[in-house]
Amino acid sequence: MSGNRVVQGRMVTAEKLAELIEDDSVMEVDSIEDADEDCPECGGNVLEVGYMPSVTEFVTGRKCQDCDWSDTDRD
């Protein structure tokens, strides 16, 4: 699914989801996908989005739809 999704009671775009994960603005985003995992904090559904926070970096971020938990594939 690539459209808007509900995260913590708000409808968000892929760009807004990436900004929630990054806690800053991002340059480019891919579409939102369902991650094949449950949230480690609350057991809720986890969404995944790929984005570029800068010209030289591509990050895949994951965010729970129900709580504040988020994570990225950065080392």
Side-chain angles (χ1 to χ4, degrees):
M1 180 178 278
S2 62
N4 296 345
R5 301 294 289 273
V6 175
V7 175
Q8 294 181 275
R10 299 176 300 199
M11 189 67 76
V12 298
T13 62
E15 183 174 3
K16 181 62 179 171
L17 179 60
E19 290 173 351
L20 287 171
I21 295 167
E22 196 64 22
D23 201 28
D24 201 357
S25 61
V26 296
M27 299 181 70
E28 299 266 336
V29 296
D30 287 341
S31 61
I32 299 172
E33 303 289 335
D34 285 314
D36 291 329
E37 65 182 284
D38 293 329
C39 175
E41 289 190 7
C42 75
N45 188 42
V46 174
L47 300 176
E48 184 175 271
V49 65
Y51 58 91
M52 292 181 68
S54 66
V55 175
T56 59
E57 184 179 27
F58 183 83
V59 174
T60 300
R62 298 182 321 275
K63 169 84 177 85
C64 178
Q65 285 186 272
D66 301 321
C67 74
D68 290 333
W69 179 86
S70 65
D71 193 22
T72 66
D73 62 354
R74 287 186 178 103
D75 289 333

